[in-house]
Amino acid sequence: MDPVVTLTIVDRHRNYTPGETIVFEYTIESLQGNGIQAVEASVLWYTEGKGDEDMVVHYFERGGAESVIGEAFQGACRFETELPKSPLSYEGLIVKIQWCARIRVFLTSGAELHHETPFHLGEVPRPRSRSK
Amino acid sequence: MSRHCPPLNAMGNELSNRYSHGRVAAQNPFATRCTRPGTIPYFFGSSENLATLLDRLDELGGTAQIVGLHGSGKTTLLAMLVSHWKSLDRKIDQHQIRKTDNSTAMLFAGSANWNAETQVVIDSFDLLSRCQRARLLWFAKRRRCGFLIASHRELARVPVLYRTRGSLQTTFRIVQRLLPPTCELIQTSDVAGCFERCNKNVRETLFGLYDMYEQRRR
């Protein structure tokens, strides 16, 4: 079985408010002899749509093998951040703003594990499409 | 992974949708993150593939141009070639020329490091002036580097490696790759109609399908 990383939100609810602290928990399983070189945890937002995409990292931490992890890494790790006032999640017709937390695990073999967990910041109503 | 966009099997619950490699799925399979060059391959005609293209580039001595209209797949093909060269650890100097930024200055600055190991890749080469083009060609020849350019029109003094053409068949293949298997929001006739309205520009067709998908999924 290949190594697996999972990332969940602790005490998840549908919408988060600006200023609220959001807590994430991640686990890395089935390492089976694979060593971990580093783990990067980030909270970010990006745009999605037809044009060029923007991405801004709100929170970032990188842990090296010497600090957080080792070959026998088993338990769950947590990180948290206070959410900013903007931009709020938005699902427009032309552009959308998506918030997510992301974990990237770099293995000594050169492989990379990746997991994202989206969440909603704020409660901006979804625009209605024009009827034709 | 065979598909870049996963099934969006629960449209109302996009929080649970993700790619098999862990990234969050796009809510619209025609969004730029799913369609930009490098995320989908270039679809060759029946008698050609990446290997034949690389062979031809060798035969041409490493200097060539890819020619095609807007939205016909030039940048996608370049991205595919660059990805191949990167997998071989080839030294790449890649540039996208734009009229509105300092890309030309960056290109000339980067040219100082060209050598026989370098594969130079320049997109929208025709946006440079005739003098700039001649200077870069001369410089690449002198440094003996690989020199592959993409242009909207055929340029003199550079052999043509490949002509990209946006076809309805190719567009069908791209859409088939992007759409979730069970999705019925976009039909074959929609793709064909959009392709005609966009004057056979594949990129514009995908933009049109983005709008169509967005209207229908709400």
Side-chain angles (χ1 to χ4, degrees):
Chain A
M1 190 179 172
D2 292 334
V4 178
V5 58
T6 53
L7 172 66
T8 54
I9 302 176
V10 177
D11 192 21
R12 166 163 220 145
H13 45 277
R14 181 152 183 84
N15 295 88
Y16 291 83
T17 52
E20 186 175 351
T21 297
I22 186 167
V23 183
F24 300 94
E25 188 173 277
Y26 64 90
T27 56
I28 306 167
E29 295 168 334
S30 307
L31 278 171
Q32 295 178 338
N34 281 291
I36 294 175
Q37 206 168 40
V39 175
E40 287 181 358
S42 53
V43 178
L44 55 105
W45 63 267
Y46 58 86
T47 59
E48 182 192 311
K50 289 199 291 184
D52 290 340
E53 294 166 324
D54 290 320
M55 188 192 83
V56 174
V57 176
H58 166 68
Y59 169 88
F60 179 81
E61 71 172 27
R62 182 182 169 97
E66 72 289 347
S67 58
V68 238
I69 35 189
E71 205 163 307
F73 179 85
Q74 291 291 328
C77 280
R78 287 188 175 198
F79 63 97
E80 63 178 57
T81 184
E82 186 178 310
L83 294 169
K85 290 178 180 172
S86 66
L88 303 180
S89 298
Y90 179 64
E91 199 185 323
L93 288 167
I94 296 171
V95 70
K96 305 171 200 325
I97 296 173
Q98 313 271 25
W99 275 91
C100 77
R102 177 184 290 173
I103 283 288
R104 295 172 76 190
V105 181
F106 301 90
L107 302 176
T108 48
S109 63
E112 182 189 328
L113 308 177
H114 194 118
H115 199 273
E116 288 178 0
T117 295
F119 62 91
H120 286 291
L121 176 60
E123 281 188 81
V124 180
R126 182 193 273 199
R128 298 177 67 181
S129 65
R130 285 177 299 160
S131 56
K132 284 192 171 179
Chain B
M1 197 178 68
S2 61
R3 300 181 71 89
H4 286 273
C5 276
L8 305 182
N9 49 11
M11 284 304 177
N13 181 22
E14 58 272 14
L15 291 182
S16 65
N17 290 318
R18 69 179 64 254
Y19 298 98
S20 60
H21 55 69
R23 288 184 193 272
V24 180
Q27 291 182 38
N28 186 319
F30 301 102
T32 308
R33 68 187 305 213
C34 299
T35 61
R36 67 174 163 233
T39 56
I40 44 178
Y42 182 80
F43 291 104
F44 288 97
S46 56
S47 61
E48 281 166 318
N49 55 41
L50 190 62
T52 58
L53 202 68
L54 290 164
D55 286 346
R56 199 180 308 153
L57 183 59
D58 274 347
E59 288 166 14
L60 294 172
T63 295
Q65 62 178 316
I66 293 170
V67 186
L69 297 174
H70 288 280
S72 62
K74 296 182 300 299
T75 308
T76 300
L77 182 53
L78 283 183
M80 200 171 169
L81 286 160
V82 166
S83 172
H84 169 75
W85 285 321
K86 280 184 176 170
S87 72
L88 302 176
D89 280 337
R90 182 121 187 226
K91 185 180 159 194
I92 307 284
D93 188 26
Q94 187 176 11
H95 297 270
Q96 166 80 53
I97 305 300
R98 293 187 182 88
K99 285 180 177 172
T100 52
D101 62 14
N102 64 347
S103 54
T104 306
M106 296 292 287
L107 169 60
F108 277 93
S111 67
N113 298 319
W114 292 353
N115 57 40
E117 307 299 314
T118 312
Q119 175 62 54
V120 179
V121 178
I122 307 172
D123 199 356
S124 300
F125 190 69
D126 51 320
L127 293 182
L128 296 171
S129 70
R130 186 182 294 183
C131 178
Q132 288 170 326
R133 295 198 303 259
R135 197 170 143 204
L136 287 166
L137 271 166
W138 174 80
F139 200 60
K141 192 174 178 182
R142 193 174 162 192
R143 295 290 179 107
R144 298 176 186 277
C145 54
F147 195 75
L148 182 62
I149 59 175
S151 172
H152 299 98
R153 59 190 164 87
E154 188 174 337
L155 300 171
R157 296 198 298 160
V158 184
V160 175
L161 173 67
Y162 192 82
R163 291 180 195 278
T164 54
R165 289 182 187 86
S167 70
L168 184 57
Q169 190 64 28
T170 302
T171 312
F172 280 143
R173 290 173 73 183
I174 295 170
V175 172
Q176 194 177 27
R177 187 185 172 92
L178 293 170
L179 273 181
T182 55
C183 177
E184 294 180 349
L185 292 177
I186 303 291
Q187 303 294 325
T188 306
S189 56
D190 296 324
V191 180
C194 202
F195 185 73
E196 281 305 314
R197 280 195 300 280
C198 295
N199 297 318
K200 301 179 181 176
N201 180 324
V202 179
R203 183 175 53 220
E204 290 299 326
T205 302
L206 295 176
F207 285 162
L209 292 173
Y210 174 96
D211 291 334
M212 200 178 284
Y213 190 94
E214 203 62 31
Q215 296 280 347
R216 294 178 181 176
R217 81 185 185 95
R218 284 166 191 265

